[in-house]
Structure formats: structure tokens, C-alpha cells
Amino acid sequence: LRLGNRSRGVLIVRTSNNPLLDIIERKGTRLVIPAYQRAYSWKRRQCEELWLDIFRAARSNARHFTGTLLYTPEADEASGVKRIAIIDGQQRVTSVSLIIAALARYLAENAKNVDGMSSDELRKRFLLLGEDEAIPSKLVPSRHDRAPYFAIARTSTAPSDAPENLRSNLVFFTDQMAQPDFDADALWRGLRNLTVIAAEVDNADQAQLIFESLNSKGLPLTTADLVRNYL
């Protein structure tokens, strides 16, 4: 499959239909948001829709398609950790990671497990990677969001200076889990049923062109986004 015209086409070398959590959990792999990407931009409305989708998937106990995840491999880290750059899918991956962080806090505060995992086990499998304190998490957001997200991955708490979208969406998910009828097992079942079409791009040099094209019909890119993309 090629995206674009003949002169600037980009080859998709492989695609697969994967549970999103399987991609996030993948051992020895870090998900990196490239420099040309915008900061995390989902608002409460998108998070409410995601929350409803998760519980629809839990009730039906069937796979629920939630979009595409376009990526390209990067050079491995010196430690052997593999890196993949997310061209499209940042918003879903980050939002699901925030849900997992909120769930880890809920499990710790209520002395509960989910799918046999404690809070610490959940965090180690889905949020943290390795012993590198400078880059502690499996997900590495854009520079503006990076340090606040690292704090969230470690502690499930957003720093006071965290960007508004990270902070408010984490609060939204935490508040949902504080409701009397919240069912952690149903949440986890729904998360396990979220699937994406994962597609690998062969040409990292043109990845930002794909990002710009894909987002031309989504949430509009700002002038700053376009300038950063160009640079």
C-alpha cells in the first residue's frame, strides 16, 4: 500500500490488527512521539467518548476498532530497547496510558487487583520501562508534555505545572473511577478489547508529510505545528 502520489508515495511495509494494549505492553519497546508532532491535544469531550467506547467494548466483550496507529522504526537505544516513532495515534495511546495511570492509583488506594495485577505490576507492564531515570516510561511524549507525563507514569499524579490537557484528562479518568458503580474489571476488559490497525512506514524521512496529510482533515494544525513540522 502506498500513501501519496507517485513522486512522494510512502510504502506501508506491514499492517496488523492488534489490541492497543498489546502494543503499549510490548516488552523492550519504547513508543516515541516525534519532534514534528503537536503536544497532546485531546480535550474532555474526546476522553468521554473514549471512556464510553471502552465500556461498550466491555459489555459486548468483543473487539472494538478504535482507529489506526501509523509508526516507523527508529534506531535502537544503547541498552537494546527498541524505539518506534508514532506518526499517527498519539492521542489514543496517550489517553489510554492516562487511564492506566489512573487505574494504578485506584488499585493502590483500594487494595485491589485487576486481571491478577497489583498497582505496581500494572505500572511496570504498561507504563514504565527499564532503569533509566531520565526516560523512565514506555511512552515518550513531545517535549512540552514529556516531564509531566513521566511524573504521571511514576506516581499517577500530574505536577501543578503540567499542561492543561494532561492534567484535566487525568483528573477526569480519576473522577470516573471514584464513582460508586465503577467496575475496574469491566474497564480492563474493555481496554483489552480496543483494537487498532497498526501500519509500519518504510520511509522515516517522509513520516512528517504523512502526519501533516492525515491531520489535514482532523483537528487543524496550528501555524506553530506546521513550522515545527517543516523544521
Side-chain angles (χ1 to χ4, degrees), residues 20-21 24 31 50 91-103 126-127 139 149 152-153 170 173 191:
L20 181 55
L21 283 192
I24 295 174
L31 309 177
L50 174 61
Q91 307 301 326
R92 286 182 297 278
V93 171
T94 305
S95 298
V96 168
S97 296
L98 291 177
I99 291 174
I100 295 171
L103 180 59
F126 292 91
L127 296 177
L139 174 64
Y149 175 79
I152 291 170
L170 179 64
F173 294 132
L191 283 171

Side-chain angles (χ1 to χ4, degrees), residues 3-220:
L3 300 178
N5 57 34
R6 290 184 181 179
S7 62
R8 303 181 75 176
V10 179
L11 181 65
I12 303 294
V13 295
R14 62 178 61 87
T15 62
S16 57
N17 187 350
N18 296 103
L20 181 55
L21 283 192
D22 285 1
I23 295 172
I24 295 174
E25 185 184 15
R26 193 174 294 170
K27 291 183 179 180
T29 301
R30 210 181 301 278
L31 309 177
V32 181
I33 307 304
Y36 54 78
Q37 287 255 29
R38 72 179 97 206
Y40 176 60
S41 58
W42 267 18
K43 306 293 185 183
R44 176 164 176 160
R45 180 178 64 82
Q46 287 88 4
C47 290
E48 288 174 344
E49 292 173 357
L50 174 61
W51 187 261
L52 292 174
D53 278 347
I54 290 169
F55 281 92
R56 289 189 191 103
R59 287 191 296 272
S60 67
N61 199 23
R63 288 194 169 193
H64 184 89
F65 177 66
T66 187
T68 59
L69 191 148
L70 211 61
Y71 69 93
T72 187
E74 291 190 340
D76 292 353
E77 297 178 8
S79 63
V81 169
K82 297 184 181 302
R83 292 169 64 97
I84 61 174
I86 298 178
I87 302 169
D88 186 57
Q90 172 197 180
Q91 307 301 326
R92 286 182 297 278
V93 171
T94 305
S95 298
V96 168
S97 296
L98 291 177
I99 291 174
I100 295 171
L103 180 59
R105 177 174 178 173
Y106 170 85
L107 296 178
E109 292 178 347
N110 293 276
K112 291 186 175 183
N113 289 350
V114 67
D115 197 20
M117 291 181 291
S118 67
S119 173
D120 286 344
E121 290 169 328
L122 183 69
R123 206 180 298 277
K124 288 177 182 177
R125 284 178 60 176
F126 292 91
L127 296 177
L128 302 176
L129 179 62
E131 304 297 328
D132 187 347
E133 286 299 313
I135 310 178
S137 69
K138 295 178 72 69
L139 174 64
V140 181
S142 60
R143 189 171 301 278
H144 181 63
D145 295 326
R146 192 168 300 172
Y149 175 79
F150 288 166
I152 291 170
R154 287 190 184 105
T155 68
S156 299
T157 302
S160 59
D161 60 348
E164 172 63 21
N165 293 331
L166 278 177
R167 185 173 63 253
S168 62
N169 291 346
L170 179 64
V171 168
F172 168 72
F173 294 132
T174 302
D175 288 348
Q176 293 301 109
M177 295 180 198
Q179 300 303 311
D181 61 347
F182 172 65
D183 184 340
D185 291 322
L187 172 70
W188 193 250
R189 185 167 63 253
L191 283 171
R192 277 294 189 193
N193 280 323
L194 295 184
T195 65
V196 294
I197 298 297
E200 180 180 329
V201 176
D202 76 328
N203 189 342
D205 292 338
Q206 298 209 19
Q208 71 273 18
L209 300 177
I210 303 173
F211 168 73
E212 186 173 327
S213 176
L214 287 170
N215 281 276
S216 65
K217 294 181 175 64
L219 191 64

